Amino acid sequence: MTVLEDRIAMAESGDELTLDAMFEWLEKMPIPEGYKTEIVGGHIFMAPQRDTRWEIIANIYDQLRVKYPRKRVKSDVRIDYPGHLNGFASDVTLLAEGAAKNGKGLWRFEDVEFIAEVISRSTAGNDYGPKKDTYAAAGVPVYLIVDPYTGEWHLHTLPEDGKYHASVRFGFGSEVDLTGTVVGLVLKTDEFPRD
């Protein structure tokens, strides 16, 4: 049965669309190598993994690894978030000490302490919009957006009532001071490349 046939069968049976079903479809599809795939609000997005994005992601990952063990720092790993069909594969995720997987073998959004998303032109609207709102609603304490096109980073903290109540942005070269947050370190941005 093809992916299209699966969709038609599901629509005809009246079954509710689930993230698991959508990710099963994606696993059957010929997704080009080097593309990141995630589901935001029930919509499937694919973005190419450009060299500039990867350099920034690796830089943030390496800086977190100085303080945190590998098992707590993830990249491009599916985590399901509250709201309508939100299965994100964030660029960098820091999990809380003692984080555990749920019954489906996925990390729980309740254990996420920090997210970093590096902007891709084709999906930038998600990172600045629905994903930011979803992370705030999920209570993710620290959300960092890094934009290689503008050469700026945007830090969002203090999630409450579905939105972040503190935000700051600076250009590459300015340090991201996370010492007053659960992350407890300073991220250097002077080596972040621009696109």
Side-chain angles (χ1 to χ4, degrees), residues 50 52-53 56-57 60 91 116-125 127-128 143-156 168-173 176 189 192-195:
R50 296 173 51 90
T52 299
R53 285 187 70 247
I56 295 171
I57 292 166
I60 294 169
D91 293 326
E117 295 284 11
V118 180
I119 295 299
S120 172
R121 276 213 171 115
S122 61
T123 59
D127 295 328
Y128 284 115
Y143 175 42
L144 177 67
I145 301 172
V146 180
D147 192 331
Y149 301 103
T150 64
E152 294 181 326
W153 53 263
H154 305 251
L155 179 64
H156 303 281
V168 64
R169 82 176 188 204
F170 282 97
F172 288 4
V176 184
T189 67
F192 287 1
R194 291 187 63 157
D195 217 353

Side-chain angles (χ1 to χ4, degrees), residues 14-179:
D15 290 342
E16 182 178 331
L17 186 62
T18 67
L19 280 172
D20 290 337
M22 292 180 78
F23 276 106
E24 282 179 33
W25 295 339
L26 287 172
E27 287 174 11
K28 295 176 186 176
M29 293 177 69
I31 296 171
E33 188 172 327
Y35 274 73
K36 171 183 167 174
T37 306
E38 57 188 357
I39 300 169
V40 180
H43 300 279
I44 297 170
F45 291 90
M46 288 188 284
Q49 186 68 285
R50 296 173 51 90
D51 190 53
T52 299
R53 285 187 70 247
W54 174 243
E55 287 297 322
I56 295 171
I57 292 166
N59 188 303
I60 294 169
Y61 180 90
D62 289 346
Q63 290 186 67
L64 289 173
R65 284 283 294 117
V66 169
K67 181 174 181 175
Y68 297 103
R70 181 175 291 117
K71 66 182 179 182
R72 288 186 58 193
V73 185
K74 307 295 177 189
S75 180
D76 289 341
V77 173
R78 174 186 166 191
I79 298 177
D80 295 348
Y81 286 89
H84 178 67
L85 299 175
N86 289 315
F88 302 162
S90 305
D91 293 326
V92 181
T93 302
L94 175 65
L95 297 170
E97 182 69 37
K101 292 183 178 182
N102 64 21
K104 294 193 290 186
L106 301 174
W107 295 105
R108 299 168 349 113
F109 74 85
E110 295 92 344
D111 293 328
V112 174
E113 293 186 334
F114 168 83
I115 295 287
E117 295 284 11
V118 180
I119 295 299
S120 172
R121 276 213 171 115
S122 61
T123 59
N126 288 336
D127 295 328
Y128 284 115
K131 287 176 78 173
K132 181 178 118 185
D133 295 342
T134 299
Y135 292 142
V140 174
V142 182
Y143 175 42
L144 177 67
I145 301 172
V146 180
D147 192 331
Y149 301 103
T150 64
E152 294 181 326
W153 53 263
H154 305 251
L155 179 64
H156 303 281
T157 58
L158 304 176
E160 190 175 318
D161 299 325
K163 59 184 158 181
Y164 285 107
H165 291 274
S167 297
V168 64
R169 82 176 188 204
F170 282 97
F172 288 4
S174 298
E175 295 178 338
V176 184
D177 186 354
L178 302 173
T179 56

